[in-house]
Amino acid sequence: GQSLEQPSEVTAVEGAIVQINCTYQTSGFYGLSWYQQHDGGAPTFLSYNALDGLEETGRFSSFLSRSDSYGYLLLQELQMKDSASYFCAVRDLGSGNTGKLIFGQGTTLQVKP
Amino acid sequence: DVKVTQSSRYLVKRTGEKVFLECVQDMDHENMFWYRQDPGLGLRLIYFSYDVKMKEKGDIPEGYSVSREKKERFSLILESASTNQTSMYLCASSLTSNQPQHFGDGTRLSIL
């Protein structure tokens, strides 16, 4: 089966850098996605890694290493508004054309002043 | 911007009732999904649809059914609501299988 593991909670201070890890066990997948969800809000797409390496989008970066079955989301220059839950997700090879994703359980990030 | 609209933000129903949750997307997306979200369990897929009148079971389909008669609308049906179906329900859609999913604001359903 497929499973993704994330830390349940991470705390950091404003202005700092934080890394949220995602390790996975799956027989094969198309890529690793990250979603952000503020309390009471809808999950929103942040980034996607189809290939190994680093993808950068402003203050957020995401990394994938298929050989290590590992990825992470890096948030720089943390702001209070970054306090949210972050989910990693994969679309495994068996999903065909359905777009079905498998989500991790989510990491709650708390940014403190 | 893509808009995914769920019919109710909060809903309270009684045990045994038949409950309908509606979801509409405005961007001609092929794929639509229903998830439930519970603390500590993340997002779990109930059902999804990759075309009109096509549906497939997700990871936790028991006690649920779905309907997709039109491309823009995907309905989740609780045939006979039970208290363990109290949860946040999220609808999502994606243009194609390799495009990001866009989520609605969710329906917080309470079954009494």
Side-chain angles (χ1 to χ4, degrees):
Chain A
Q2 303 89 3
S3 67
L4 292 91
E5 298 290 330
Q6 304 177 234
S8 57
E9 293 181 1
V10 173
T11 301
V13 297
E14 209 172 2
I17 299 171
V18 72
Q19 179 175 311
I20 299 174
N21 298 324
C22 176
T23 57
Y24 54 85
Q25 294 181 354
T26 177
S27 55
F29 64 98
Y30 290 104
L32 182 69
S33 300
W34 288 92
Y35 286 78
Q36 178 192 59
Q37 184 182 28
H38 286 99
D39 195 27
T44 56
F45 172 77
L46 284 179
S47 67
Y48 176 67
N49 291 72
L51 304 173
D52 282 8
L54 192 67
E55 293 282 343
E56 297 182 71
T57 309
R59 294 186 298 113
F60 294 2
S61 303
S62 57
F63 174 81
L64 175 64
S65 170
R66 289 176 184 267
S67 59
D68 295 325
S69 298
Y70 165 71
Y72 65 74
L73 180 69
L74 189 73
L75 297 85
Q76 302 182 73
E77 301 172 20
L78 279 175
Q79 301 176 8
M80 297 298 292
K81 67 178 181 180
D82 297 329
S83 293
S85 292
Y86 293 85
F87 296 88
C88 59
V90 297
R91 184 166 71 92
D92 72 69
L93 295 178
S95 68
N97 289 326
T98 65
K100 176 185 173 184
L101 292 176
I102 301 165
F103 283 87
Q105 294 182 347
T107 298
T108 300
L109 170 64
Q110 185 179 16
V111 181
K112 295 187 173 181
Chain B
D1 272 356
V2 177
K3 184 68 174 175
V4 179
T5 303
Q6 295 184 229
S7 53
S8 303
R9 194 81 168 96
Y10 299 94
L11 204 54
V12 180
K13 296 291 182 180
R14 296 204 174 274
T15 304
E17 280 192 72
K18 190 168 186 177
V19 181
F20 293 85
L21 302 184
E22 305 288 344
C23 176
V24 176
Q25 48 92 5
D26 66 356
M27 287 300 291
D28 203 34
H29 282 182
E30 298 290 332
N31 305 308
M32 296 189 75
F33 309 84
W34 274 107
Y35 297 88
R36 63 177 283 177
Q37 184 175 26
D38 301 286
L41 297 179
L43 282 75
R44 294 183 292 167
L45 183 64
I46 304 171
Y47 265 98
F48 63 102
S49 168
Y50 52 89
D51 201 352
V52 175
K53 297 189 186 293
M54 304 302 290
K55 58 187 179 183
E56 282 199 26
K57 294 179 179 179
D59 300 315
I60 51 164
E62 295 78 20
Y64 304 93
S65 63
V66 290
S67 172
R68 194 167 181 201
E69 296 296 319
K70 293 184 178 181
K71 193 174 187 179
E72 67 270 18
R73 185 180 297 269
F74 192 36
S75 303
L76 179 70
I77 303 153
L78 286 67
E79 298 291 343
S80 178
S82 64
T83 55
N84 63 11
Q85 291 178 310
T86 291
S87 187
M88 169 67 85
Y89 289 87
L90 289 162
C91 175
S93 71
S94 66
L95 179 61
T96 60
S97 59
N98 60 356
Q99 294 293 310
Q101 291 188 14
H102 298 264
F103 285 82
D105 288 332
T107 296
R108 188 165 292 281
L109 175 65
S110 296
I111 307 296
L112 305 179

